[in-house]
Amino acid sequence: MLFGSIEAGGTKFVCAIGNEKGEIKERVSFPTTVPEETMKAVIEFFETYKKDLKALGVGSFGPIDIHPASETYGYITSTPKLAWQNFDFVGTLKKSFDIPVAWTTDVNAAAYGEYVFGNGKGLSSVVYFTVGTGVGGGALQEGRFVEGFSHPEMGHMLVVPHPDDKDFEGACPFHGNHCLEGMAAGPAIEKRNGRKGQDIPIDDPFWQIEAEYIAQCAYNTTLMMSPDVIIFGGGVMKQRHMVEKVHRAFTKMMNSYVKTPDLDQYIVTPALEDNAGTMGCLALAKEAELHSH
């Protein structure tokens, strides 16, 4: 039994074929250009496996329509990527593949990967954030995504600007210097420092500021959801020194108000590293195939 995974990101699409154990057989990536081009490459990749392919799992950049009853279900909706606005993603796949398609956000897919195979395994409540080009968050409670009229946009939660960061106007076109993404995502780091995060030395005082924003995120999440684990993925958290800085800032901020699980198990990075999204899509595809019977 083979399953397909499509991680549809703003920069590239990562497509993979795997089995029910989450073992990846083949993986390719295509640049995100325009739907005609990118989707053609995606469909050609899966065509090779068509006779054994049981279901597809898609984790897409958003916003997306997640409501099965809606007439634009399966669409990417109001994205800043103009060519992809109101694009019928699931419908396009269904034209070529008459199989179940699981459809969710890219960050939900990564959360699901960690829930099934990684640092959320065996836990009932898992929250996953990616801190990279943007900030996104996804949450699972008892194996179900936490969502209502739409999917959460946790990356835009309010944060308080750091005292040494008062003059930075932020990088979010909607919320300026009031939201997590506007203050802590890759573009905000670059806008503020004139260079990318990977080029900033680890002893630069900026990292303390960055850690405080991520700690505010963990603080808000803890008090709103009391999850079993908070997982921070994405490029920014590849800086290994960050986790400890976040732990220290979080402890200070929380000021013993609630007793959380031990921070080494509570505020962590993904066990699956960059594979979380792909593994999550494969697991979601397997679920979709099971539910189609």
Side-chain angles (χ1 to χ4, degrees):
M1 254 199 195
L2 293 179
F3 298 102
S5 158
I6 303 171
E7 232 187 317
T11 328
K12 63 176 196 281
F13 274 47
V14 179
C15 297
I17 287 284
N19 62 17
E20 64 277 8
K21 294 193 191 89
E23 293 159 348
I24 296 165
K25 285 191 164 332
E26 190 187 351
R27 180 201 307 241
V28 291
S29 96
F30 311 108
T32 307
T33 55
V34 294
E36 297 73 43
E37 224 171 21
T38 308
M39 293 304 286
K40 183 171 180 273
V42 167
I43 287 163
E44 278 169 9
F45 169 70
F46 288 112
E47 282 287 350
T48 325
Y49 295 95
K50 196 163 185 174
K51 65 177 199 309
D52 299 313
L53 199 58
K54 296 291 180 222
L56 286 165
V58 185
S60 172
F61 65 90
I64 64 175
D65 186 338
I66 55 164
H67 285 289
S70 157
E71 46 197 56
T72 52
Y73 171 73
Y75 279 57
I76 292 175
T77 55
S78 56
T79 171
K81 290 192 168 305
L82 298 178
W84 293 84
Q85 277 183 2
N86 305 312
F87 172 64
D88 183 4
F89 200 127
V90 172
T92 303
L93 291 173
K94 289 273 197 185
K95 279 190 192 119
S96 298
F97 305 100
D98 185 23
I99 53 177
V101 177
W103 169 247
T104 192
T105 63
D106 45 4
V107 68
N108 269 353
Y112 202 74
E114 284 290 315
Y115 170 72
V116 176
F117 300 107
N119 278 334
K121 198 173 174 181
L123 301 175
S124 70
S125 170
V126 175
V127 182
Y128 182 100
F129 287 95
T130 181
V131 186
T133 314
V135 181
L140 283 149
Q141 183 76 41
E142 305 290 355
R144 291 174 63 115
F145 292 118
V146 174
E147 48 201 17
F149 72 89
S150 184
H151 47 82
E153 285 285 352
M154 303 185 198
H156 292 264
M157 68 172 68
L158 287 175
V159 292
V160 179
H162 187 281
D164 301 335
D165 202 26
K166 283 239 188 297
D167 301 330
F168 179 55
E169 72 274 28
C172 173
F174 295 92
H175 313 118
N177 66 349
H178 295 317
C179 81
L180 181 64
E181 179 170 295
M183 297 306 269
I189 295 174
E190 197 175 343
K191 188 173 174 184
R192 199 192 269 110
N193 295 286
R195 52 187 169 167
K196 292 190 186 302
Q198 64 254 35
D199 303 326
I200 300 171
I202 66 172
D203 56 1
D204 192 292
F206 165 72
W207 289 117
Q208 194 45 49
I209 294 175
E210 178 73 9
E212 301 242 349
Y213 289 124
I214 293 170
Q216 286 190 54
C217 169
Y219 170 94
N220 291 337
T221 304
T222 298
L223 297 180
M224 299 260 272
M225 303 182 81
S226 310
D228 293 318
V229 67
I230 304 172
I231 303 166
F232 284 104
V236 173
M237 295 308 285
K238 286 205 167 84
Q239 307 267 350
R240 291 294 170 213
H241 59 95
M242 280 298 285
V243 177
E244 198 187 322
K245 287 187 174 71
V246 172
H247 286 174
R248 282 204 301 270
F250 174 84
T251 303
K252 207 170 148 189
M253 232 170 256
M254 192 53 80
N255 200 18
S256 305
Y257 180 63
V258 293
K259 189 170 165 23
T260 62
D262 182 41
L263 293 189
D264 290 336
Q265 270 99 57
Y266 181 60
I267 296 173
V268 299
T269 53
L272 306 175
E273 299 188 346
D274 293 340
N275 283 329
T278 295
M279 306 273 281
C281 288
L282 291 174
L284 286 165
K286 184 182 162 183
E287 282 293 306
E289 201 273 329
L290 282 173
H291 288 141
S292 67
H293 293 309

